[in-house]
Amino acid sequence: MQKKALSLLLFFSAVFSLASAQPLTDKTALEKERQELQKELREMQQAYDKVKGQTRQNLGQITLLNRKISLQEQYINNINKEVKLIDDDIYLSNLEIYRLQKQLDTLKDQYSRSVVYAYKNRASYNYLNFIFSSTSFNDALRRISYLKAYRAYQQKQVKIILEHTDLIARRQEQQKGRKQQKQTVLVTQTSERNVLADQRKEKDAVIAKLRTQEKDLKQQIATKQKRDRELRNAVAAIVKREIEAARLKAERDAKARAAAEKAEADRAAAARRNAEASNPTTKPANPVASNTPVRTTPTPATPAPAAPKSYLDLNASDVKLNSSFVANKGQLPWPVDNGVVTIGYGPYKIEGIGPDVRGENPGVTMATPVGSAVKAIFEGEVVGVFTVDDKANITIRHGKYFTTYCNLSGATVSKGSQVSRGQVIGRAAADEETGDGKIDFILMIENKTVDPRGWLRR
């Protein structure tokens, strides 16, 4: 019975430990995510504070508000997850307390029955009579051992009962703390929902003002869409040119290798012919027959080599650079030290202003102070420096990866320059709409754009 009780205690303790380990891990991840969201929300609010007081409404305010609302929704979702974790924890704790209480009731019942039985049969439990009634000395020793074991068993039963009682009390105290924690989180949840409601009202107010400036707004939309097209076309042309140059170089190298191999084969054949002519070992047995032309089996033509998967991943330096770039995925630095993403990568939509404003961002747009240093995120070669709307733009090749830094006041590097990771290549210029600084950052794998945020350090 003692072993059974101890086994039950250990089993349920292990079950609860395993059940509580996962919520603890999840809670740590949620706390880290919440800190990152709070930091981004603060930065976003600072960026928005700079533009919300302007008398001329613009798309920049809407994009910042949309981003702020999206972050706020993520923050509330994080809180909802925490509430669920606390509820699950409370449920598991209640389950453990119930099981412990059942075990405690069973232990108390077993112990009370043993005490009652011993009391009712106390006359026959005279230790001396029990021992001296032994049939032999060995029998007496066995009876003494039995009495000691029975006393130890009763003492352990008492200890287990006390341990169960203490464990239940501690679990109940923890439950009070969890319930209080839940109440605190629910208050925070309500507060953040109110903040979200205020942000949506503020967005509606900005949209209402924008509707009164329809002509101005259409001009802003057209300007942005035109600039995005020019950027995409310019970068695509640079990448296409680099791929074509790599293809031509690969073909030249292949032809040079084939010519070298052929020359080597010709030299070897000539050497064999010269050796045979200077040291003849046999003569033809039939001179007439020797003049008969010998039929030869034509050698099958060597198939042309298949086109490589990528012309930008052929030479040793590109292979090494590509591998290094991939190895740093998720750890690459941001192009500016103090920047906030205002428009994400890919399709975006601004609702509520007449026909929905739609567009597709080739990279990410970041608000940053005017004059902020713009840095290369990885080592590579500058393959393009061009202007769009009088703003400098720089494209750097990292093997088959290309990064483009847009809306710069000027470039401190030129085409053909080798740059290192973290090297300053220019300064952020002002946004024509808001007057505040911003840059656009584009990442491409050969001729395909990808979301840079998956590659940059969080």
Side-chain angles (χ1 to χ4, degrees):
M1 191 65 68
Q2 170 194 353
K3 290 183 178 179
K4 183 179 178 182
L6 282 170
S7 298
L8 284 171
L9 176 61
L10 291 172
F11 172 75
F12 286 118
S13 298
V15 168
F16 185 75
S17 297
L18 289 172
S20 59
Q22 183 64 31
L24 182 62
T25 304
D26 290 344
K27 188 174 179 181
T28 302
L30 282 175
E31 183 62 31
K32 182 180 178 182
E33 180 187 14
R34 182 179 309 142
Q35 290 174 359
E36 291 173 351
L37 285 170
Q38 287 173 335
K39 178 177 180 292
E40 198 168 353
L41 275 168
R42 286 193 299 269
E43 293 172 347
M44 187 62 64
Q45 185 62 48
Q46 291 171 1
Y48 181 70
D49 288 341
K50 294 178 180 179
V51 300
K52 73 175 182 179
Q54 296 175 355
T55 55
R56 178 175 176 264
Q57 305 300 314
N58 54 67
L59 283 178
Q61 289 176 267
I62 292 295
T63 55
L64 284 170
L65 270 172
N66 280 338
R67 180 64 182 153
K68 219 169 70 158
I69 289 171
S70 174
L71 287 171
Q72 189 68 23
E73 288 171 343
Q74 292 178 46
Y75 186 44
I76 291 172
N77 185 51
N78 178 282
I79 295 173
N80 293 339
K81 289 179 183 176
E82 185 180 4
V83 171
K84 186 178 183 304
L85 279 179
I86 294 173
D87 284 337
D88 291 345
D89 200 16
I90 289 173
Y91 171 77
L92 289 173
S93 293
N94 282 334
L95 188 62
E96 190 205 16
I97 289 172
Y98 172 77
R99 288 170 174 171
L100 288 172
Q101 192 63 55
K102 293 289 288 183
Q103 293 175 49
L104 182 60
D105 293 341
T106 302
L107 288 168
K108 285 182 177 179
D109 181 63
Q110 292 170 352
Y111 183 72
S112 63
R113 279 189 292 174
S114 67
V115 171
V116 170
Y117 181 81
Y119 177 77
K120 287 182 178 180
N121 298 276
R122 59 189 179 280
S124 60
Y125 271 80
N126 187 296
Y127 290 164
L128 291 177
N129 288 338
F130 182 66
I131 293 170
F132 284 118
S133 62
S134 304
T135 57
S136 65
F137 181 74
N138 288 335
D139 185 27
L141 290 178
R142 282 195 298 271
R143 293 191 180 200
I144 291 173
S145 297
Y146 168 76
L147 290 174
K148 287 182 178 178
Y150 183 74
R151 179 174 296 176
Y153 163 71
Q154 287 184 315
Q155 290 173 346
K156 286 185 178 180
Q157 269 193 313
V158 173
K159 183 180 178 182
I160 292 171
I161 289 171
L162 292 176
E163 287 175 350
H164 269 64
T165 304
D166 180 61
L167 186 57
I168 290 171
R170 282 190 282 116
R171 289 288 182 265
Q172 289 173 339
E173 192 63 31
Q174 289 173 1
Q175 284 294 75
K176 292 180 183 178
R178 289 188 183 95
K179 289 176 180 177
Q180 182 60 44
Q181 182 186 12
K182 180 180 177 181
Q183 290 301 319
T184 303
V185 173
L186 288 174
V187 170
T188 304
Q189 183 188 59
T190 302
S191 173
E192 295 302 327
R193 282 177 175 167
N194 291 336
V195 171
L196 179 61
D198 291 341
Q199 289 176 350
R200 286 175 173 159
K201 288 178 183 177
E202 188 175 9
K203 177 184 172 182
D204 292 340
V206 172
I207 288 175
K209 289 181 180 178
L210 279 171
R211 284 175 182 158
T212 65
Q213 304 170 2
E214 186 174 353
K215 184 178 179 181
D216 221 12
L217 180 61
K218 286 181 178 179
Q219 181 60 42
Q220 292 177 34
I221 295 169
T223 300
K224 175 167 177 53
Q225 291 175 340
K226 175 177 176 290
R227 183 172 180 273
D228 287 345
R229 282 195 303 272
E230 290 178 358
L231 274 177
R232 280 195 297 268
N233 293 338
V235 176
I238 291 172
V239 173
K240 183 179 179 181
R241 184 187 68 211
E242 290 299 311
I243 293 175
E244 181 64 14
R247 184 186 69 80
L248 293 174
K249 183 177 184 302
E251 290 178 354
R252 287 195 301 270
D253 292 345
K255 288 179 181 178
R257 283 195 301 271
E261 290 171 359
K262 185 176 182 302
E264 182 62 28
D266 291 345
R267 283 194 296 271
R272 284 196 302 271
R273 288 194 298 270
N274 292 335
E276 291 172 357
S278 60
N279 298 303
T281 55
T282 59
K283 293 183 179 180
N286 188 350
V288 176
S290 64
N291 294 326
T292 305
V294 179
R295 292 183 180 179
T296 57
T297 304
T299 304
T302 304
K309 186 176 181 180
S310 172
Y311 287 106
L312 301 176
D313 199 12
L314 291 180
N315 62 65
S317 60
D318 279 344
V319 170
K320 181 180 179 182
L321 197 58
N322 291 332
S323 299
S324 182
F325 197 91
V326 172
N328 280 272
K329 185 176 183 179
Q331 299 299 322
L332 294 169
W334 287 77
V336 289
D337 293 333
N338 183 17
V340 179
V341 175
T342 55
I343 305 178
Y345 166 81
Y348 63 88
K349 180 172 70 173
I350 301 175
E351 303 171 348
I353 311 174
D356 291 342
V357 177
R358 296 175 184 270
E360 185 161 353
N361 208 14
V364 291
T365 302
M366 288 178 277
T368 189
V370 174
S372 295
V374 179
K375 305 174 183 179
I377 68 165
F378 204 70
E379 62 183 277
E381 178 188 358
V382 177
V383 292
V385 178
F386 59 98
T387 59
V388 174
D389 292 340
D390 297 327
K391 300 296 192 302
N393 306 272
I394 301 171
T395 298
I396 301 175
R397 178 186 164 194
H398 320 274
K400 66 178 179 180
Y401 300 90
F402 295 83
T403 54
T404 303
Y405 312 76
C406 313
N407 201 60
L408 309 182
S409 58
T412 58
V413 292
S414 57
K415 184 179 176 181
S417 302
Q418 294 292 327
V419 297
S420 57
R421 175 171 170 158
Q423 180 179 334
V424 176
I425 58 175
R427 300 281 171 178
D431 184 352
E432 292 181 357
E433 296 175 8
T434 65
D436 293 310
K438 79 162 187 179
I439 68 162
D440 292 298
F441 177 68
I442 302 171
L443 173 61
M444 298 180 71
I445 303 177
E446 294 195 53
N447 52 9
K448 179 184 177 183
T449 60
V450 295
D451 191 345
R453 287 172 294 187
W455 293 77
L456 301 177
R457 184 170 50 233
R458 292 199 64 179

